[in-house]
């Protein structure tokens, strides 16, 4: 069991990393525009949580690539979205920060910090209303926990006893401002303690993330109550491609990289060298194909400018 | 029937036929609604479907978005449009755009209802008209309810639609009585010709419709003309066809709007009509609008800040005389 999990973890973390490194390269070449927020270094949280949460509904922030991959969305459609192509997961209308696939219970991809937290609470209300208890996971950064959306949502999830798992990725920086310069409480899990069960975990260890999320998922389903996890993690890249990242020291980055989740998993002894080589080759090939697919995909047709604004069959509802 | 009762009836009927329709907001449940729009619904449908929320407008709309994603058809009540400012991120950046940004994958069948307008001595944080803010956001349908017909049929349509709708009511209309012919054909996507005429058209919406109707006879007899009165109805998408057809016929038009003139929604109406039928006009358009000031508390100053039936009459007569009527 542990070995097959480890293999799954390795595949998705590696897929996420290669996808993002390649996205960075394509961005530099001008094939990808706008904002691009990379999650390199944070794969253990994104992959471990998504796999542990299984079929439940997931809401994430603008750093959404690795979550979407771990949720099972084909990298081709994600890369095509970054390229702004018609075949993109959001038809080229959303870009990096707006991946959605409701058929896989994946609801974005939200580019306003913390705006999706109340959405997750509303979703949990709707699911409970309909007698479905798969639970809802919402991921956000430490920066989001200083805003009203966060507290309003904790309050209601607790008051209404909703099965929501709040997952905070504490990577110590809200864009370029270090946590102790923006937040009076730096152990984020303490902010949630008065409302619900709340804990802090090592977000660089995928087994710890997986175990914590799995336990939390069982709890929220059985008790119909919210739960809070703060995962301590780190992003190696700056906030986005337009950020120089000069607010962090070389030493700090070195320390962070020494805890790399992919390297850590490799050293666990659970994966054979053959498997690692096999996956490394497979993933390179998959991402290469995704880039080829994105490059060769057509631009959206001009008519697409006007579609998806309103429902096109609304004439049916005339009284 | 009271206007608030027409709204209540629309919600009640929709909740009756569709289990997924829920209403949430401040005081909507146990308390019965601040303007009694949700009166009786809590007792009838229970706290699971008539949901009291804290005073946290951002979450009211944000949670409604999540509910819509989860297969419910939420109606979010914002006590007044003034407080919707706290929910603008959810309304503008999320409710209006999730469908488009997801390439049509996300569908949000939801309504955010709120009253707006200048009330009576509530001062500027509780008295204002904000329709141009909502109507300027692509992806949001904006309906206005001027009477029981538009309130009842319009709200029912808004609830049934798969699009996100901002449904604007007027605070001073809640306790006004209007007829509600249930079988009358009404298309909520169209403007309504309330009175036909051939010499000039007056456009208005929400409470101003009634202020116009109060003086239309007097305008007709003073100027010896026949006036067409149109309730603009939906502000986004605007029913430009009905508006321009009327102007092509009457060749003169007036907008009566309660919001401040600068950036007011009437500017959009004038612009849209002029682009279509500038050469049909025999007179420059006239806008009768609110003054460009926050609404004062003092009643005399408050009445000076907005159109009143008397001002509407005087300004139209003066304009009519200057323009060959």
């Amino acid at each position: 069991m542990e070995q097959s999990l480890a293999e799954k973890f390795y595949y998705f973390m590696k897929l996420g990393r290669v996808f993002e490194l390649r996205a960075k390269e394509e961005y530099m070449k001008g094939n990808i525009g706008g904002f691009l927020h990379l999650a390199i270094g944070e794969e253990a949280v994104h992959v471990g949580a998504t796999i542990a949460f299984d079929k439940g509904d997931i809401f994430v922030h603008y750093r959404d690539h690795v979550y979407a991959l771990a949720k099972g969305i084909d990298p081709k459609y994600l890369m095509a979205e970054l390229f702004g192509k018609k075949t993109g997961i959001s038809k080229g209308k959303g870009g990096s920060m707006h991946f959605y696939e409701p058929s896989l219970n994946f609801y974005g991809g939200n580019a306003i910090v913390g705006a999706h937290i109340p959405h997750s609470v509303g979703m949990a209300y709707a699911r409970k209303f309909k007698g479905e208890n798969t639970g809802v996971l919402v991921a956000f950064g430490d920066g989001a926990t200083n805003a009203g959306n966060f507290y309003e949502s904790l309050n209601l999830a607790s008051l209404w006893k909703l099965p929501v798992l709040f997952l905070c990725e504490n990577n110590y920086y809200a864009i370029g401002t270090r946590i102790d310069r923006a937040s009076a409480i730096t152990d984020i899990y303490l902010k949630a303690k008065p409302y619900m069960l709340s804990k802090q975990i090592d977000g660089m260890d995928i087994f710890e993330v997986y175990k914590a999320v799995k336990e939390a998922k069982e709890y929220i389903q059985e008790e119909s109550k919210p739960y809070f996890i703060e995962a301590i993690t780190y992003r190696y890249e700056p906030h986005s491609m337009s950020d120089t990242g000069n607010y962090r020291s070389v030493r700090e980055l070195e320390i962070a990289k020494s805890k790399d989740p992919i390297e850590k998993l490799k050293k666990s002894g659970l994966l054979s060298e053959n498997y690692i080589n096999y996956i490394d080759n497979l993933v390179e090939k998959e991402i290469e194909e995704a880039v080829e697919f994105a490059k060769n995909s057509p631009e959206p047709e001009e008519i697409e400018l006007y579609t998806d604004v309103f429902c096109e069959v609304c004439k049916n509802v005339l009284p | 029937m009271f206007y608030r009762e027409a709204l209540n009836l629309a919600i009640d009927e929709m909740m009756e036929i569709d289990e997924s329709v829920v209403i949430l907001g401040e005081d909507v449940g146990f308390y019965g609604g601040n303007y009694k729009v949700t009166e009786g619904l809590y007792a009838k449908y229970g706290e699971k479907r008539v949901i009291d929320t804290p005073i946290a407008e951002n979450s009211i709309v944000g949670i409604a978005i999540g509910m819509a994603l989860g297969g419910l058809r939420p109606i979010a009540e914002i006590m007044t449009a003034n407080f919707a400012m706290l929910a603008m991120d959810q309304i503008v950046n999320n409710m209006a755009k999730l469908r488009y940004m997801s390439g049509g994958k996300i569908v949000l069948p939801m309504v955010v209802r709120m009253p707006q307008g200048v009330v009576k001595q509530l001062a500027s944080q509780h008295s204002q008209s904000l329709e141009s803010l909502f109507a300027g956001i692509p992806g949001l349908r904006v309906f206005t309810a001027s009477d029981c017909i538009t309130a009842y049929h319009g709200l029912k349509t808004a609830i049934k639609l798969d699009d996100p709708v901002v449904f604007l009511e007027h605070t001073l209309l809640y306790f006004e009585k209007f007829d509600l012919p249930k079988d009358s054909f009404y298309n909520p996507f169209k403007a309504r010709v309330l009175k036909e005429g051939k010499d000039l058209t007056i456009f208005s919406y929400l409470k101003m419709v009634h202020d116009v109707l109060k003086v239309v006879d007097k305008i007709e007899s003073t100027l010896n003309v026949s006036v067409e009165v149109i309730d603009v109805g939906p502000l986004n998408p605007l029913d430009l066809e009905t508006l321009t057809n009327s102007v092509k016929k009457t060749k003169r038009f007036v907008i009566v709007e309660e919001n401040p003139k600068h950036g007011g929604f009437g500017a959009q109406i004038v612009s849209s009509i002029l682009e279509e039928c500038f050469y049909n006009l025999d007179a420059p358009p006239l806008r009768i609008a609110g003054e460009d000031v926050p609404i004062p508390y003092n009643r005399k100053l408050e009445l000076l800040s907005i159109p009143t039936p008397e001002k509407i009459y005087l300004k139209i007569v003066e304009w009519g005389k200057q323009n060959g009527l």
Side-chain angles (χ1 to χ4, degrees):
Chain A
M1 180 62 193
E2 198 153 70
Q3 193 195 341
S4 68
L5 255 186
E7 288 179 351
K8 200 170 177 186
F9 291 161
Y10 186 75
Y11 169 70
F12 279 112
M13 287 205 288
K14 190 76 191 182
L15 185 69
R17 180 149 314 175
V18 174
F19 180 93
E20 291 209 315
L21 286 170
R22 190 59 193 269
K24 184 181 173 184
E25 198 183 313
E26 296 299 324
Y27 188 93
M28 304 297 242
K29 287 186 202 158
N31 288 331
I32 295 173
F35 284 135
L36 185 72
H37 307 88
L38 303 177
I40 297 172
E42 299 185 353
E43 292 91 346
V45 183
H46 294 210
V47 172
T50 306
I51 292 174
F53 212 69
D54 198 27
K55 293 191 168 41
D57 301 301
I58 291 191
F59 289 79
V60 304
H61 42 72
Y62 49 86
R63 209 179 296 284
D64 57 358
H65 310 150
V66 184
Y67 281 109
L69 289 165
K71 201 66 178 144
I73 304 174
D74 191 323
K76 287 206 300 271
Y77 306 130
L78 301 180
M79 192 60 84
E81 186 60 33
L82 298 184
F83 276 61
K85 296 297 180 72
K86 178 185 173 174
T87 51
I89 192 78
S90 302
K91 294 192 201 160
K93 293 177 179 179
S96 165
M97 303 181 283
H98 302 293
F99 290 169
Y100 305 90
E101 190 45 270
S103 68
L104 294 174
N105 301 66
F106 188 73
Y107 302 91
N110 199 302
I112 306 291
V113 168
H116 59 304
I117 308 180
H119 302 173
S120 71
V121 176
M123 173 62 95
Y125 191 98
R127 294 297 195 202
K128 190 175 173 182
F129 185 99
K130 296 189 164 193
E132 300 159 5
N133 76 336
T134 44
V136 180
L137 180 147
V138 58
F140 45 87
D142 47 285
T145 70
N146 295 316
N149 268 317
F150 172 72
Y151 294 96
E152 292 182 18
S153 296
L154 290 187
N155 178 51
L156 282 171
S158 174
L159 179 72
W160 291 344
K161 297 188 171 51
L162 297 175
V164 186
L165 172 52
F166 294 94
L167 175 65
C168 176
E169 300 163 17
N170 183 357
N171 65 15
Y172 302 111
Y173 289 91
I175 308 181
T177 298
R178 202 177 60 210
I179 187 164
D180 57 351
R181 302 185 73 232
S183 186
I185 297 168
T186 54
D187 282 317
I188 305 289
Y189 78 106
L190 294 175
K191 294 184 179 184
K193 264 242 174 325
Y195 298 93
M196 61 193 71
L197 283 183
S198 173
K199 71 192 286 192
Q200 191 177 57
I201 62 167
D202 176 5
M204 300 305 267
D205 179 339
I206 193 163
F207 282 100
E208 189 170 336
V209 174
Y210 178 81
K211 187 167 167 278
V213 170
K214 206 158 174 58
E215 279 169 12
K217 184 172 193 272
E218 279 159 19
Y219 171 86
I220 64 174
Q221 286 174 340
E222 279 162 27
E223 304 287 325
S224 188
K225 279 184 190 167
Y227 194 104
F228 192 97
I229 294 174
E230 175 194 7
I232 304 291
T233 184
Y234 203 87
R235 60 169 154 79
Y236 305 166
E237 297 291 320
H239 169 72
S240 74
M241 295 300 288
S242 57
D243 169 9
T244 56
N246 59 7
Y247 43 85
R248 307 186 295 190
S249 68
V250 176
R251 179 76 189 125
E252 184 178 316
L253 270 166
E254 278 171 6
I255 295 170
K257 287 182 180 175
S258 71
K259 297 172 191 162
D260 186 81
I262 297 177
E263 292 306 316
K264 193 170 180 175
L265 182 58
K266 273 180 167 175
K267 285 179 201 140
S268 67
L270 291 162
L271 302 171
S272 70
E273 208 162 308
N274 273 350
Y275 183 80
I276 291 170
N277 287 336
Y278 165 71
I279 292 298
D280 287 357
N281 286 331
L282 178 75
V283 162
E284 288 292 344
K285 196 166 150 269
E286 270 192 88
I287 298 304
E288 188 55 44
E289 280 170 11
V291 172
E292 282 307 304
F293 175 80
K295 270 186 190 158
N296 298 327
S297 287
E299 296 281 328
E301 278 104 30
E302 284 184 19
I303 188 69
E304 279 297 329
L305 178 63
Y306 304 103
T307 61
D308 307 317
V309 179
F310 294 123
C311 176
E312 269 132 56
V313 291
C314 61
K315 287 181 187 75
N316 295 345
V317 302
L318 283 181
Chain B
M1 175 184 279
F2 286 118
Y3 175 85
R4 68 167 181 85
E5 291 174 326
L7 294 162
N8 180 280
L9 188 63
I11 299 167
D12 193 358
E13 286 184 14
M14 290 308 296
M15 289 188 81
E16 182 86 51
I17 60 168
D18 186 349
E19 163 92 336
S20 67
V21 177
V22 299
I23 183 157
L24 69 159
E26 293 152 15
D27 294 323
V28 299
F30 188 71
Y31 183 88
N34 275 277
Y35 296 106
K36 300 204 180 302
V37 171
T38 54
E39 195 174 43
L41 299 176
Y42 183 81
K44 193 167 173 187
Y45 298 105
E47 62 176 9
K48 201 174 146 194
R49 296 182 65 198
V50 185
I51 306 154
D52 283 316
T53 67
I55 302 173
E57 288 79 10
N58 182 61
S59 284
I60 294 171
V61 180
I63 283 166
I65 290 170
M67 288 172 162
L69 286 169
L72 300 181
R73 301 187 88 87
I75 307 161
E77 177 178 295
I78 300 290
M79 199 183 292
T80 82
N82 310 287
F83 312 154
M85 300 305 97
L86 288 144
M88 281 307 255
D89 171 59
Q90 291 297 348
I91 296 171
V92 175
N93 285 322
N94 291 280
M95 180 177 162
K97 301 193 175 116
L98 284 173
R99 184 187 192 104
Y100 197 78
M101 290 191 304
S102 66
K105 282 189 173 151
I106 288 196
V107 180
L108 291 177
M110 62 181 288
V111 184
V112 176
R113 291 180 37 238
M114 64 186 92
Q116 63 150 28
V118 174
V119 198
K120 276 182 185 157
Q121 294 196 268
L122 298 185
S124 55
Q125 286 183 332
H126 278 73
S127 245
Q128 59 187 320
S129 302
L130 296 165
E131 63 271 32
S132 51
L133 295 188
F134 301 110
I137 305 301
L140 283 183
R141 286 188 182 274
V142 181
F143 285 6
T144 61
S146 309
D147 57 18
C148 285
I149 296 175
T150 45
Y152 172 78
H153 293 291
L155 184 53
K156 278 180 78 170
T157 305
I159 297 167
K160 285 185 220 171
L161 267 177
D162 280 342
D163 291 326
V165 181
V166 169
F167 194 85
L168 296 176
E169 299 155 16
H170 194 293
T171 316
L172 287 185
L173 295 177
Y174 283 135
F175 296 92
E176 293 288 320
K177 276 189 173 172
F178 305 104
D179 290 336
L180 175 56
K182 272 213 200 170
D183 52 352
S184 72
F185 179 77
Y186 162 65
N187 183 339
F189 305 110
K190 302 291 280 181
R192 286 187 305 165
V193 180
L194 299 177
K195 177 188 171 310
E196 290 198 37
K198 45 187 200 328
D199 301 312
L200 76 105
T201 307
I202 305 177
F203 297 112
S204 59
Y205 50 91
L206 290 169
K207 177 176 168 285
M208 287 297 115
V209 167
H210 307 287
D211 288 5
V212 167
L213 291 174
K214 276 178 192 149
V215 291
V216 69
D217 290 350
K218 223 166 104 186
I219 293 167
E220 287 189 316
S221 59
T222 307
L223 290 174
N224 194 25
V225 292
S226 122
V227 176
E228 184 143 303
V229 180
I230 291 185
D231 177 357
V232 175
L235 304 187
N236 191 17
L238 190 63
D239 172 21
L240 198 54
E241 190 188 5
T242 303
L243 272 53
T244 51
N245 283 347
S246 175
V247 170
K248 281 175 187 165
K249 178 175 74 174
T250 63
K251 311 207 184 303
R252 294 174 178 85
F253 72 99
V254 178
I255 317 278
V256 183
E257 56 192 313
E258 198 178 76
N259 62 184
K261 192 168 188 177
H262 188 90
F265 191 72
Q268 182 58 49
I269 300 179
V270 170
S271 163
S272 297
I273 292 176
L274 288 192
E275 282 177 325
E276 292 292 315
C277 40
F278 182 78
Y279 292 105
N280 297 92
L281 288 179
D282 285 345
L286 171 67
R287 279 179 72 200
I288 302 172
E291 299 297 322
D292 292 323
V293 297
I295 305 302
Y297 165 73
N298 174 278
R299 182 64 177 154
K300 186 180 87 179
L301 295 179
E302 183 181 59
L303 285 172
L304 282 171
S305 77
I306 49 169
T308 56
E310 194 193 359
K311 275 192 253 179
I312 294 166
Y313 166 76
L314 291 173
K315 285 190 175 174
I316 292 178
V317 167
E318 187 193 349
W319 168 85
K321 284 180 177 163
Q322 281 169 3
N323 288 288
L325 278 175

